[in-house]
Amino acid sequence: MRTRRIVPSALVAATTAALLVSGTQPAAGQGETADFTVVVEEGANTAAARAAVTAAGGRITGENAAVGTLTAKAPTTGFVQRVSASDAVLGATAVKPLGEAPQAGRGPGNREWKAVEREHVGANKNTTKKAPTATAGMDPLDGDLWGLKLVRSDIARARQAGDKRVYVGILDTGVDGTHPDIAPNFNRELSRNFTIDIPADPNGAEVDGPCEFRGCVDPADHDDNGHGTHVAGTIGAAANGFGVSGVAPNVSLVNIRGAQDSGYFFLQPVLDAITYGADVGLDVINMSFYIDPWYMNCVDNPADSAEAKIEQRATITAVQRALDYAHRKGVTLIAAGGNNHEDLGNPRNDAASPNYPTGSAYDRKIDNKTCIHLPTEGDHVISISSLGPSTLKADYSNYGTEQTDLSAPGGYFRDGFGTPWYRTNENLIRSTYPRNVALAEGNVDEAGNVTPKGEEAGVAKYCQGAKCGYYQYLQGTSMAAPHAAGVAALVVSQYGKKDKAHPGTLTLAPDKVEKVLIKTATARACPVPRTVSYENVGRTPEFTATCVGDTKFNGFYGHGIVDAYGAVTRGGNHL
């Protein structure tokens, strides 16, 4: 099992002490106010931390006792440093975007993740191929789901298609619980939305836009982005003779929304979503996002201000506490490896952080020992790299022996160079698509018909009588992770025991789930030659990647490609 890199606690403590000495200390109560997450020091008295918040000019508005955080309304100027001066407080950070699913319109901070996932939209491409006829036992549009075949879900379901007593949490932009392929498996009772829509950022740039629902809180079965619904469909779209099916088509899907409509993730909603999921007995949580406003969270980067250092330190600690809490409660944590085409053990400079508010980014040299990409580099998280249909590492996918645990289908638009595959929609991952998002993006019209724009992007409409569903193609490590999450859900379904803490559900220790995933993965050696250039498909030399390791474990594939059939037929040999 891979040893993860952890920022030493002694370095964290020493860094904070230095920051508090060097930082300015404005008087409490001055200037505009904002919301903050305050991280209580390990072992400290919470009452003392509350007193520190008040003394620093803040007003407490909430608490997450599971991870030791307080939320407070406080002056924007100097609060972070004032409250962090208390021995009872580890640090604090303004409630701002913590993670993001790739979306448009946020300047340099989004690292073009939307461009990665929707590279095929408007691109010059080969003629789209007609979808093959559905295989027996599969759903009508499954012929284009090469990812199901690569992870062998299509044959695994003859042995294990998932158990309704297994619950998978989708920590994302929301889930369209009304979609015909999601509705049969959607657990409305447990689903929650931990976010409140935000029309604009402090600079006036649009974030979520006008609120669609009173109170600016979307229902727990709603997705105004599409990213979360795509993820949910890959994990567990029902095998119901309609549209598509997921890797684990019989498990229960739970929306634990932690992202804004725009794709931003705020700190407190993410912490609340993870701890809530652990408390209600979720078996697996999929996390297809990265932590921001800092692409890399560092404890002592020379380019950062004193306040920025405290904020990143608080973020690292709070997120790791949430991950630890979920792991102790029996949750298997799956995360996307990232779309920045870099070796996370040897990261490039980060010139895109902080990415909120817009225009705040500056160049930082990244020290691998004291900077961390979250959540994928967090303890207890299984990190997934992305493959194309030829099983090549996708050009955009992060990689590296420090971080990559396993690999899975995520799509690669430029796969198959020199063949009819090259630059076709079918190289991507097709999954469920909310009608409201398809309409807003101009891919369907008011009558529900796919527009020429939608046809060019490969958007599909499938109907049985008056019931219709929509489907879109995307690519990214965000699409790879749910393939692995689906296989993890099958492992719990096959080998889990009755959960005494949550009657009517199954459970299996996450370390055991990870062991089965690793031991039954399809081994894949590094390519020959080991250094792969993507310049022939139009990428810059920056994309060139070198695979380090052997067939058993390497930086491109980790321990191998997740294998649903192997997991449900041979996994018991490793428990």
Side-chain angles (χ1 to χ4, degrees):
M1 183 178 295
R2 179 171 55 83
T3 301
R4 295 187 182 275
R5 173 173 54 81
I6 301 297
V7 179
S9 58
L11 174 61
V12 171
T15 300
T16 300
L19 297 177
L20 296 175
V21 170
S22 63
T24 58
Q25 301 290 323
Q30 294 182 354
E32 298 179 357
T33 61
D35 294 314
F36 291 85
T37 295
V38 179
V39 182
V40 180
E41 184 65 72
E42 189 75 32
N45 187 304
T46 304
R50 286 174 169 268
V53 170
T54 302
R59 176 175 59 84
I60 294 171
T61 58
E63 179 179 2
N64 186 322
V67 293
T69 61
L70 303 170
T71 53
K73 180 81 71 175
T76 57
T77 303
F79 175 77
V80 167
Q81 290 165 285
R82 288 195 303 274
V83 75
S84 299
S86 168
D87 291 339
V89 174
L90 186 145
T93 179
V95 175
K96 62 180 70 171
L98 174 102
E100 98 182 59
Q103 284 298 310
R106 296 202 295 275
N110 71 4
R111 287 188 169 264
E112 298 184 329
W113 274 33
K114 175 182 171 67
V116 168
E117 291 196 346
R118 302 183 181 224
E119 181 189 0
H120 65 298
V121 177
N124 294 323
K125 57 171 72 78
N126 284 334
T127 303
T128 301
K129 304 185 294 294
K130 183 179 179 181
T133 304
T135 307
M138 305 289 281
D139 278 356
L141 300 182
D142 284 351
D144 257 354
L145 305 194
W146 56 269
L148 286 185
K149 300 181 180 68
L150 181 54
V151 303
R152 302 207 291 175
S153 167
D154 56 336
I155 60 175
R157 62 187 59 183
R159 168 71 72 90
Q160 179 60 260
D163 193 305
K164 280 289 188 295
R165 295 174 295 172
V166 173
Y167 292 82
V168 182
I170 318 298
L171 205 176
D172 215 288
T173 62
V175 176
D176 178 8
T178 67
H179 192 287
D181 268 320
I182 300 293
N185 292 338
F186 186 71
N187 188 297
R188 198 174 306 272
E189 180 182 356
L190 292 181
S191 291
R192 297 288 186 276
N193 174 14
F194 294 95
T195 68
I196 299 174
D197 286 353
I198 297 176
D201 74 10
N203 294 334
E206 182 175 291
V207 178
D208 297 325
C211 299
E212 302 93 340
F213 297 91
R214 289 186 177 90
C216 292
V217 176
D218 295 343
D221 64 350
H222 187 78
D223 181 7
D224 258 333
N225 179 291
H227 190 269
T229 299
H230 193 282
V231 165
T234 296
I235 294 171
N240 56 352
F242 186 100
V244 301
S245 64
V247 173
N250 286 350
V251 300
S252 295
L253 301 173
V254 181
N255 175 25
I256 49 170
R257 177 175 165 180
Q260 303 301 127
D261 290 341
S262 53
Y264 279 126
F265 288 70
F266 291 95
L267 175 57
Q268 203 60 48
V270 169
L271 298 178
D272 291 344
I274 293 173
T275 55
Y276 168 81
D279 287 339
V280 299
L282 300 188
D283 297 288
V284 181
I285 293 179
N286 187 89
M287 301 180 291
S288 288
F289 60 89
Y290 75 87
I291 304 300
D292 66 7
W294 308 95
Y295 174 72
M296 287 285 183
N297 280 270
C298 305
V299 297
D300 191 22
N301 194 295
D304 292 335
S305 68
E307 183 168 319
K309 292 176 182 179
I310 294 174
E311 289 184 348
Q312 291 170 78
R313 168 184 169 272
T315 296
I316 293 169
T317 301
V319 172
Q320 189 56 61
R321 284 183 187 176
L323 298 175
D324 291 343
Y325 183 80
H327 182 262
R328 290 196 304 269
K329 290 272 194 172
V331 182
T332 297
L333 300 162
I334 307 286
N339 295 348
N340 202 40
H341 59 274
E342 68 179 336
D343 180 348
L344 285 175
N346 185 28
R348 299 189 303 273
N349 280 18
D350 178 9
S353 300
N355 63 7
Y356 184 94
T358 53
S360 302
Y362 52 89
D363 191 53
R364 303 188 301 161
K365 184 177 181 179
I366 298 302
D367 172 26
N368 187 48
K369 293 181 180 179
T370 58
C371 298
I372 189 168
H373 181 68
L374 292 169
T376 199
E377 291 192 90
D379 260 1
H380 312 304
V381 176
I382 302 172
S383 177
I384 311 298
S385 66
S386 181
L387 310 178
S390 71
T391 74
L392 288 175
K393 183 191 81 69
D395 54 0
Y396 57 79
S397 180
N398 286 347
Y399 59 98
T401 54
E402 280 191 13
Q403 290 77 18
T404 305
D405 290 301
L406 293 159
S407 53
Y412 177 19
F413 182 57
R414 305 184 192 207
D415 204 355
F417 180 70
T419 76
W421 289 7
Y422 182 59
R423 299 178 71 89
T424 54
N425 291 328
E426 289 78 11
N427 281 348
L428 281 65
I429 303 299
R430 172 176 273 175
S431 189
T432 42
Y433 190 23
R435 184 184 186 278
N436 59 298
V437 179
L439 181 63
E441 294 178 340
N443 288 325
V444 304
D445 59 25
E446 291 288 349
N449 300 312
V450 178
T451 64
K453 177 185 176 184
E455 290 177 355
E456 190 274 338
V459 171
K461 176 183 181 181
Y462 182 83
C463 297
Q464 287 182 0
K467 181 174 68 174
C468 296
Y470 297 88
Y471 307 86
Q472 68 169 328
Y473 283 108
L474 296 176
Q475 67 174 5
T477 55
S478 286
M479 285 67 246
H483 281 87
V487 178
L490 291 179
V491 171
V492 181
S493 298
Q494 183 68 17
Y495 307 110
K497 308 298 182 183
K498 292 181 179 179
D499 189 347
K500 295 180 181 179
H502 302 279
T505 70
L506 298 180
T507 187
L508 186 64
D511 289 344
K512 291 184 177 181
V513 176
E514 181 177 19
K515 185 177 181 181
V516 171
L517 292 176
I518 288 172
K519 293 295 185 180
T520 62
T522 302
R524 185 70 66 181
C526 286
V528 179
R530 288 173 175 266
T531 296
V532 178
S533 169
Y534 296 93
E535 292 180 61
N536 63 330
V537 296
R539 295 302 194 186
T540 65
E542 184 180 89
F543 283 76
T544 298
T546 299
C547 183
V548 175
D550 55 23
T551 302
K552 291 184 178 180
F553 178 77
N554 60 70
F556 278 16
Y557 300 96
H559 293 278
I561 305 169
V562 291
D563 180 4
Y565 183 72
V568 302
T569 58
R570 296 184 285 107
N573 298 332
H574 305 288
L575 296 176

